[in-house]
Amino acid sequence: MAGQQFQYDDSGNTFFYFLTSFVGLIVIPATYYLWPRDQNAEQLRLKSLRRVHGRCLWYRLRLMKSQQSIVPTLKKAALLFGWAVFLFLAYKVSKLDREYQEYNPYEVLKLEAGASIAEIKKQYRVLSLKHHPDKGGDEAMFMKLAKAYSALTNEESRNNWEMYGNPDGPRGDSFFNLLTYFQRSVLLVYGLAFMVILPVVVGTWWYRSIRYSGDQILINTTQLFMHFMYKTPTMNMKRLVMVLTAAFEFDPRSNKEAIIRPTDNIEVPQLIRELGNINVKKKEPPFCYPYSLKARVLLLTHLARMDVSENVEEDQRFVMKKCPALLQEIINVGCQLTMMATSRGGLRAPRLSSIENCMKLSQMVVQGLQEAKSPLLQLPHFEEEHLRYCISKKYKVRTLQDLVSLKDSDRRNMLRFLGEEKYEEVLAVLGSFPYINMETKLQVLDDEDSNNITAGSIVTVTVTLTRKRMSVSSTFVRISHESIQMFRDAKTNKTKVWQNKNKGAKKAAKSKKKKLTKKKPVTQQQAKGDKAKQANGNVAGNDVAAASKAEEDDLSDKGSESDEAEGNKDSPSERDEESDKQSDTEVDEIAGDDEEEWEALQQSIQRRERALLETKSKVTHPVYSLYFPEEKQEWWWLYIADRKEQTLVSMPNHVCTLKDTEEVELKFPAPSKTGNYQYSVILRSDSFMGLDQIKPLKLEVHEAKALMDNHPQWDIPETEEEEDDQEDSDGIEESEEDEEDND
């Protein structure tokens, strides 16, 4: 390569082609990805949410950010400047002359290739007279004519043109020596950018990215959660708060977003004194580290809804934004440990209460409420002193569902401490809360009898979730609460109901006894025996039951005799026709059931294929949260648990796409022992308190079918083999006879 020769571009036009391409490769993709989206659409969306979410912290922060931010304007200005440079370069390139054309002296002299020397001289004489500078011609054109004439008439010039494409011969200079100072600077900048800066940037990004998991959680944090989840299978809420705030996301050494301020030495101890006992003296690392203690204090002040200074509030918002993702990571770690304990054995699986505490803490963080607080405090304008109106003996309102199920007049009377405008706002917020209708279907897919659950089979519970607004579903809530109230009343008045039932039973027994005594005479011995039993204190319930049974038998005998008499009237042909019709209807019903099962199977397969191909948006419905600093979407956890054994049956499915209706499949292996099992299908919100649902799931496990060693379809009877051999031999004999006849 050292001795290679180059054709040098004196005008530098090639540089503009390169520069135009380079700028276009940057500007076009940057415009697609960085151009600010329609701000009007975001403003309209915020305006539509103002009536319900106007008091939420995240709404006010988003509104302030959209009004004060100049980032979209700067992005537009930078992109427009890039497009201006690109269009200028494209215009300049379009005006450049064509360079590096193959030099052809015949074209210059306007002759055909292979013209004779006489024709060349004649044509040169004519054109030189026309373009001679002394006669007003073009000097540049005259020089070209002279060069072309020399190339075709001079033997050396002609050889140079044929060999090198240039009458003057080869132009050999090293590439770097031909460059100007500016062009050398440009090459130096490009070499520095692509050979030094780009590798350094990519390497830095790579070494930072490998510290995080797919959910953007630090690997060290996941290992920390794994350690404490295994160490403490039963984790109460206090311990969970300590483990959560020990995450390395809050450590400034691992995360540059976390900040330790000089004022923390004054403000954090003051908040600790206001909070009370938060296990400050615990020396177990990393709970005793300053970053963990600060994060724990900020979380507890958020749950207590305490007022803090501006610096502390900024740090508190940072901690709150990280908490939902970290709690989801703890749940994932708990599920991994549960699966490991189930498959391997010998490991301690986390208790169900530990995983459910993570879900409860997520609700508490989003709503800014402590665990023991009333769910009614999620509503606007509700304070602690107002709860006494709700939990009074007259209304007994303790949950959001109780508040919805009240009559309008009672609700308005109970909330008389609110003005009309505030009352309307409370109703609007309450109406935006979700009400989930949950339907379950238990089956064993890919089995002949999908409803028969055998030991060790894979059970699929298909849960259909339908989301409705609390205002639309108030009738459903009212009905369910009325039924619950009836159940409570029946439970409290159990003795009275039992007495009433016994009274009715005694009256019915007496009336039946009177009727029986009228119909059948009682002998003296039976009467003596009855008197003896009554003297011993026994109730004549058995005799009444026996008499009533005998009466029923007589009636059934009479009915059967009448049926036989009617049946004898029919002819045998009519009986045959009826039996044929009955068999036909049974066959039709069986065929119809098979078709329905086939259609259901095809639909489930199509749903699975669509679920694999489609990517649903995780934007569902914004959560009403008064104190959470970021817009949160409604997501849910759905799982099956054995609440008696405090274990997970199926891993929690984080449902992030429930906008209207969603179908979720939960799979788990059936128990290895036969019998009846009582599980629970549990739906928990990750944002709202008091909206969880638990639905019982009964499982009846049968013995598994024995495996067949030799399937019938592979058993070929000996008679069939003999018949096949006989047919082959007959065919051979017939073919031999035909050959003899032909001969």
Side-chain angles (χ1 to χ4, degrees), residues 12 35 240 242 254 309 322 377 446 493 499 552 690 718 734:
W35 186 264
L240 179 60
M242 295 174 69
S254 301
S309 62
K322 295 287 185 181
L377 295 176
D446 303 330
N493 301 327
Q499 289 175 358
E552 290 176 359
E718 295 180 358
E734 289 177 359

Side-chain angles (χ1 to χ4, degrees), residues 230-379:
Y230 180 75
K231 183 180 178 181
T232 316
T234 304
M235 193 176 292
N236 58 19
M237 194 62 74
K238 285 186 178 180
R239 179 75 173 180
L240 179 60
V241 169
M242 295 174 69
V243 172
L244 173 64
T245 53
F248 289 99
E249 273 76 4
F250 307 132
D251 188 358
R253 295 171 297 178
S254 301
N255 187 6
K256 300 301 181 183
E257 296 179 4
I259 301 174
I260 295 294
R261 304 178 187 274
T263 56
D264 292 343
N265 296 326
I266 301 173
E267 294 178 336
V268 173
Q270 183 179 355
L271 293 174
I272 291 174
R273 287 192 295 271
E274 294 179 8
L275 287 169
N277 184 20
I278 61 169
N279 296 329
V280 179
K281 297 181 180 180
K282 197 172 185 64
K283 300 301 181 182
E284 182 182 4
F287 305 138
C288 59
Y289 294 162
Y291 82 88
S292 177
L293 182 61
K294 179 183 177 180
R296 185 158 74 250
V297 169
L298 294 179
L299 176 58
L300 293 176
T301 53
H302 171 74
L303 298 181
R305 296 186 175 182
M306 294 172 54
D307 294 331
V308 294
S309 62
E310 292 183 0
N311 291 335
V312 175
E313 186 178 7
E314 185 179 351
D315 297 340
Q316 188 183 59
R317 291 173 185 173
F318 167 74
V319 173
M320 294 307 107
K321 290 178 182 179
K322 295 287 185 181
C323 282
L326 293 173
L327 287 168
Q328 178 61 37
E329 186 68 15
I330 299 178
I331 293 173
N332 294 338
V333 167
C335 295
Q336 293 175 12
L337 290 174
T338 302
M339 289 189 291
M340 291 169 61
T342 304
S343 59
R344 298 181 184 179
L347 298 176
R348 294 187 298 176
R351 302 283 289 175
L352 178 64
S353 58
S354 302
I355 296 175
E356 289 185 338
N357 282 338
C358 296
M359 301 177 182
K360 292 177 183 177
L361 185 56
S362 177
Q363 301 172 359
M364 295 159 54
V365 168
V366 174
Q367 295 298 332
L369 282 176
Q370 296 174 343
E371 185 179 9
K373 296 298 181 180
S374 172
L376 296 175
L377 295 176
Q378 299 174 102
L379 299 173

